[in-house]
Amino acid sequence: MKITLNRINDNFHFELKNERGHIVNVDSRPEFGGNDMGPSPMELVLMGVAGCSAIDMISILKKQRQEITSFKAEVEGERVQVGEAKPFKNITVVFFLEGPINEEKALRAAQLSFEKYCSVSKTLEPTATIHYKVVLNNITLG
């Protein structure tokens, strides 16, 4: 896996590209000298958690022949000062699923994602605690 980065302006706007040609813009917020032309690197980390776990959950539920009519997630990260850096300390993921989905299967899919399959979450595990919950058809499970 390889990513290339190209600086776009005189500040912190970068274009990142993977080996398949997919492009993501990254920038810093204006209060930190950027132009807000894309998400920050730390926001990309949270996006990675959301995307990785969503792929896992949908894959698991599809294999179990569960019909997903809507799938959304919200991810929030709490950061802590460690020297000059501010890594994530706690990350909370809330999944919002709709459809005729079995409650136990929805909960199990989330559990399997975070405990077994999600490489992004596993990468963050040594430094951040990841919490998750599942809301199925507007009812919080578990």
Side-chain angles (χ1 to χ4, degrees), residues 57 60 106-117 132 134:
M57 287 186 65
I60 292 165
L107 283 171
R108 181 70 175 144
Q111 178 187 19
L112 284 170
S113 175
F114 289 107
E115 291 181 6
K116 188 173 183 180
Y117 296 117
Y132 65 89
V134 177

Side-chain angles (χ1 to χ4, degrees), residues 3 138 140:
I3 302 296
N138 296 314
T140 302

Side-chain angles (χ1 to χ4, degrees), residues 122-139:
K122 288 293 185 188
T123 299
L124 297 171
E125 250 180 22
T127 57
T129 303
I130 300 176
H131 310 274
Y132 65 89
K133 70 177 173 179
V134 177
V135 178
L136 176 59
N137 299 318
N138 296 314
I139 299 170

